Amino acid sequence: MFSDHQPRQERHTFGKNSQVDHRKKLRQRLCFGFAIFLCAAFVIVLNPSTFDYDSSALVFWTENSTTSSIGSQGSINNGDDNHISPSLSAVEAKIPSTNYNVSSSTTTTNAQIELLRPTGRTVYSYVRGDRSGAAIQDMLMAHAYAFSKGQRYGGACQRREFPDHVIQPRKELLQVLGLESEMPFRCSPTGKLMNRFKYTQQDTGIFNTPNYLEYMHAVMMQKQPEYQQQLPKRPKQITVHIRRGDITPCRPRTNGFPRYLPNQHYLALIERYKAKLAAAASRDSTDHQQQPMIQVVVYSESETFEPLDEFSQKGYDLRLDGSIDQVWKAIAFESDVVILSRSSFSLVPAVLSLPSKTTIVYTPFWHKPLAHWDDMGTLDPVLMNTTLTEFRRLKKTCPDKSERKRQEKERKRNIKYS
């Protein structure tokens, strides 16, 4: 009897041992996989630039679609992807980041560009569907982040095809600045795109990367000769950008800031900087009796919550619904003082203007100022309190919610069929 059951018991014991061995091997594999994960995490923490691509933003292209999408934008140099990104310390030692000479010759400018140009791998971002100012600001941040890592910026890729009336104005704005070849609309041959969180994490602080603005100024001077022209006899110019249109006191705040700035705010800043320019001109002039010529140019939109007649009555040059190219050209090249609105549209050319030539007047909002700008939040808290009081007064005059919805529908209908 005993001998009959023995084989079954042995077979049963062998099965248990097999299960134990299988579980042991599984635990070993899990421990090994976890160890690899910890090592990879450790590498990322030590060197986050190793993983600059956003795996969620992969774009898969067929051979035909890649040819049609990239071929229209220009050829892509595939060799750059295999270069190792050098440290910027060697470049920083050669070129100081301050006291940049605007009147450099073309030869010096070319040498400056080649010396500062990154030689690492080529990286790409994707095209945002926002308005032109915000979309180009996103490209500029990606460009600056790539520069900070010693990498080349290959361009912004359209993950979905945008119509020409969306992309073409952006190309024209970049041409005004002379940056159309530095910041093209182009896709990566591998389909990999930069991690947007990384290059926007510092906000406008990424533009403080050593030598970055000097490099961009050199590129702009090479493409736009007027950028380095000094015209001492021309009238001093104050350029004002007033963002209106769909921006009203009735709209909700953006990141804690009301987007609308009242007329009173701009008028007060214009008077302040007119007085500053006049005082500076009288100090530099031998004829102290002669009043300096100061031209005030105001760019805005005809659709506005407050009438803009006050600016015309004061003799200012009010330009409504004009060419957006001209606004950027005036801010980047032609102005002695630029008064910004709470908008990326005026922020981008202001970032690229020369600090030695142009004073940028900044009103606090969700994008931070550069170090050399005149920040009204710090320089004049009284003005900011007055502006907030006026904003609250205007907000009380807003129509009720149902009427605002009707007006917004009517505004969009007019835009669609205009």
Side-chain angles (χ1 to χ4, degrees):
M1 231 21 208
F2 177 78
S3 60
D4 292 339
H5 292 280
Q6 186 66 28
R8 279 190 223 129
Q9 187 175 3
E10 289 177 352
R11 284 197 299 269
H12 182 66
T13 305
F14 177 78
K16 285 185 177 179
N17 292 336
S18 177
Q19 291 178 6
V20 171
D21 292 340
H22 177 72
R23 291 172 184 170
K24 184 177 180 181
K25 289 180 180 180
L26 182 60
R27 283 196 299 269
Q28 288 174 347
R29 290 173 182 173
L30 288 174
C31 290
F32 183 74
F34 185 69
I36 293 177
F37 173 80
L38 288 179
C39 291
F42 185 71
V43 170
I44 293 173
V45 170
L46 287 181
N47 187 16
S49 64
T50 307
F51 300 90
D52 281 337
Y53 291 117
D54 184 0
S55 59
S56 64
L58 291 179
V59 185
F60 299 96
W61 304 89
T62 63
E63 184 176 355
N64 294 334
S65 65
T66 304
T67 305
S68 60
S69 300
I70 298 176
S72 61
Q73 303 293 345
S75 61
I76 295 178
N77 183 5
N78 295 336
D80 292 334
D81 290 340
N82 298 323
H83 287 297
I84 299 175
S85 304
S87 171
L88 287 177
S89 58
V91 176
E92 293 169 14
K94 295 178 183 178
I95 298 295
S97 60
T98 56
N99 299 326
Y100 186 70
N101 185 9
V102 182
S103 59
S104 302
S105 64
T106 305
T107 305
T108 307
T109 301
N110 292 340
Q112 186 93 353
I113 292 172
E114 292 307 315
L115 190 59
L116 292 175
R117 191 190 302 277
T119 57
R121 66 180 181 183
T122 304
V123 293
Y124 300 81
S125 64
Y126 61 87
V127 177
R128 287 187 60 183
D130 299 343
R131 294 177 63 143
S132 295
I136 295 179
Q137 180 181 329
D138 188 86
M139 293 174 66
L140 191 63
M141 286 181 174
H143 186 282
Y145 181 80
F147 185 92
S148 71
K149 300 296 181 183
Q151 301 166 350
R152 294 192 180 203
Y153 180 68
C157 177
Q158 301 182 47
R159 292 200 293 177
R160 58 184 178 88
E161 203 66 33
F162 288 96
D164 288 340
H165 73 269
V166 174
I167 297 297
Q168 191 58 35
R170 302 177 186 183
K171 292 181 178 180
E172 292 172 359
L173 288 173
L174 290 170
Q175 287 174 359
V176 167
L177 300 176
L179 298 175
E180 65 276 11
S181 59
E182 193 69 27
M183 298 168 58
F185 291 89
R186 184 183 297 165
C187 289
S188 166
T190 63
K192 291 183 179 180
L193 302 177
M194 299 171 69
N195 186 333
R196 187 173 181 272
F197 172 77
K198 288 190 176 182
Y199 68 77
T200 59
Q201 191 173 17
Q202 298 183 51
D203 193 55
T204 51
I206 192 64
F207 302 133
N208 295 321
T209 298
N211 296 312
Y212 177 68
L213 290 179
E214 285 81 353
Y215 171 75
M216 297 299 279
H217 293 159
V219 172
M220 293 168 70
M221 281 196 295
Q222 185 185 50
K223 296 293 182 68
Q224 300 289 355
E226 62 266 33
Y227 196 72
Q228 54 185 333
Q229 290 178 358
Q230 300 289 347
L231 302 174
K233 294 184 179 180
R234 67 176 174 83
K236 298 292 184 180
Q237 179 169 318
I238 298 175
T239 299
V240 186
H241 176 243
I242 302 179
R243 175 76 164 88
R244 290 295 163 88
D246 59 331
I247 302 301
T248 71
C250 313
R251 283 189 57 160
R253 297 189 177 210
T254 303
N255 296 329
F257 292 92
R259 296 198 65 175
Y260 188 91
L261 287 171
N263 289 352
Q264 161 268 326
H265 179 81
Y266 294 104
L267 291 167
L269 289 177
I270 291 171
E271 291 301 320
R272 169 180 296 188
Y273 282 88
K274 277 180 64 179
K276 284 190 175 185
L277 287 178
S282 63
R283 284 196 305 268
D284 299 337
S285 175
T286 54
D287 185 3
H288 297 287
Q289 301 298 324
Q290 184 179 2
Q291 291 294 325
M293 294 182 61
I294 300 175
Q295 181 183 16
V296 179
V297 183
V298 180
Y299 293 96
S300 190
E301 300 163 82
S302 55
E303 182 187 352
T304 175
F305 189 84
E306 291 178 277
L308 299 171
D309 301 336
E310 236 180 319
F311 295 92
S312 300
Q313 292 168 4
K314 288 184 173 291
Y316 303 153
D317 185 0
L318 182 60
R319 304 181 186 181
L320 303 178
D321 306 323
S323 168
I324 58 176
D325 304 359
Q326 184 55 45
V327 183
W328 275 35
K329 186 176 181 180
I331 294 175
F333 300 128
E334 301 172 353
S335 305
D336 298 280
V337 176
V338 175
I339 298 175
L340 302 179
S341 60
R342 284 172 169 161
S343 169
S344 293
F345 180 77
S346 54
L347 181 79
V348 173
V351 165
L352 296 170
S353 63
L354 279 175
S356 59
K357 185 179 177 182
T358 307
T359 300
I360 305 298
V361 184
Y362 166 87
T363 300
F365 70 121
W366 49 94
H367 293 305
K368 304 304 179 185
L370 300 191
H372 58 274
W373 290 1
D374 286 3
D375 182 0
M376 289 299 105
T378 304
L379 297 178
D380 198 344
V382 176
L383 173 65
M384 296 309 302
N385 287 334
T386 305
T387 297
L388 184 58
T389 301
E390 176 67 6
F391 171 81
R392 288 169 176 166
R393 184 190 70 80
L394 292 171
K395 190 175 179 64
K396 291 179 181 178
T397 65
C398 290
D400 58 30
K401 190 173 181 179
S402 59
E403 179 63 18
R404 289 204 305 270
K405 285 184 176 180
R406 189 196 65 78
Q407 291 177 359
E408 182 65 15
K409 287 182 180 179
E410 184 68 23
R411 189 186 70 82
K412 290 180 178 179
R413 189 180 297 111
N414 292 337
I415 292 174
K416 182 177 181 180
Y417 295 106
S418 60

